[in-house]
Amino acid sequence: MQVTETLNEGLKRSYTITVPAADLDAKVNEKLLEAQPEVEMKGFRKGKVPMALLKKQFGQRILGDAMQDAIDGAMKSHFDKTGDRPALQPKVEMQGGENWKEGDDVVVEMSYEALPEIPEVDVSKVKLEKLVVKADDKAVTEALENLAKSAKNFEDKKKGTKAKDGDQVVIDFVGKIDGEAFEGGAGEDYPLELGSGSFIPGFEEQLVGAKAGDEVAVKVSFPAEYGAKHLAGKEAVFDCTVKAVKGAKPAEIDDELAKQFGAESLEALKGQITERLEAEYVGASRQVMKRALLDQLDKLVKFDLPPSLVEAEAGQIAHQLWHDENPDVHDHNHDHIEPTDEHKSLAERRVRLGLLLAEIGRKEKVEVSDAEMTQAVMMQARQYPGQERAFFEFVQKNPQMQQQLRAPIFEDKVVDLVVAGAKVTEKEVTKDKLQKAVEALDEI
């Protein structure tokens, strides 16, 4: 077997791999010998079928496997010897494949882009600032007030008061299409909060200004994608009788409110809120510090980038941004979006940092455990209530999905590793300042 280099420019590599016909024939014979003891054929005892007959019967079938094994072995030997790591799956093409016949040498062309040599990073040179926010009384009170609003109740308003957004109207209603009442379109003593968006579009707005005792004909059109097909896209009139207009009153901030949210007392609820707020602050602070870390790492190291990786990443960025800007377009005529210089610049940064973090993780033997993967799958499965089992099975059979779930866990573990070796100083700031720092991340 012979491997000859034909291209070595930057990170681009090409090689000609030649598998002599004699080597291939020997590989076929080797496989036949392995199979011979188990082969049964009419007229011969098990394991006693002659090699010549075996070759005639199974040779062609085994030849393809032998050829693939020989090429795979040559590639593995090459990568072991050179230390090259391909950025993407190598491209392998057989020369004269259409005219190849048994007895000919097998010649293939292998080309790939090698991953670059990535320089060591002295993490002790990285200086980071960790923003620390304490959950003060003001923040806890604000959170309590929001809980009280969500636990609000409604009280009758003064007779003759007109309903406004945020009020609750108690109504009887009958829906009709072309003058005929339809199934499921009637209700009595229904409490409807105006502005809640719980009824079909346009319904609640027409009850703003109504008073107790009013009768209102609400005219609406069911959306084209409405769940009940016999109503989808139809125009309807709902004859509504307003029986009461009620105003919202936040719940009292006391022990009873605390019990509604699973706490034993108001003090216990305050403690839970404090813990939750500070956990949110820690998460937000980590986001800010991670961006600062990546910015520093991006400046600390420079190395050649595999063009294929940058091109693929730029295409993905362009495609994703196009979808973000055109969320309602679902056709496939835009699948190829030409990346801009800005997309390419962002792609270079992502590829550079991705390769750097991967190299740090590889050298430090960072691994994602089975338990961490299971937790990630469970978190993702919650987005598909009732289909969790199907999602688990999908992930098990889909290596690409597994990698999508594994990658952010691996990255966060490497980031934590680098942060542990960096010089980190804490700075106490207000909640508003932390929020502004987080918002600035989206602008970059």
Side-chain angles (χ1 to χ4, degrees), residues 348-395:
E348 288 176 356
R349 171 188 164 94
R350 288 188 181 178
V351 170
R352 183 182 302 110
L353 288 170
L355 292 176
L356 176 59
L357 293 176
E359 182 66 7
I360 293 173
R362 186 178 73 87
K363 288 182 177 177
E364 296 295 332
K365 296 181 172 55
V366 173
E367 293 183 354
V368 176
S369 69
D370 291 343
E372 289 167 331
M373 273 298 291
T374 299
Q375 185 177 13
V377 175
M378 290 175 66
M379 290 286 289
Q380 195 79 4
R382 289 176 187 171
Q383 298 181 24
Y384 309 96
Q387 303 177 48
E388 291 87 351
R389 184 183 181 87
F391 181 77
F392 267 86
E393 292 174 354
F394 168 73
V395 172

Side-chain angles (χ1 to χ4, degrees), residues 258-278:
K259 289 173 182 175
Q260 287 187 48
F261 291 93
E264 293 182 358
S265 64
L266 181 58
E267 283 306 308
L269 180 59
K270 286 181 179 179
Q272 292 176 10
I273 289 173
T274 300
E275 289 180 11
R276 177 177 59 78
L277 288 174
E278 292 192 345

Side-chain angles (χ1 to χ4, degrees), residues 322-351:
W322 192 95
H323 273 287
D324 291 345
E325 293 167 4
N326 302 273
D328 299 325
V329 180
H330 301 290
D331 66 85
H332 299 285
N333 296 327
H334 59 274
D335 276 355
H336 180 71
I337 308 295
E338 193 64 35
T340 64
D341 289 341
E342 186 178 355
H343 297 150
K344 292 174 184 174
S345 178
L346 180 55
E348 288 176 356
R349 171 188 164 94
R350 288 188 181 178
V351 170

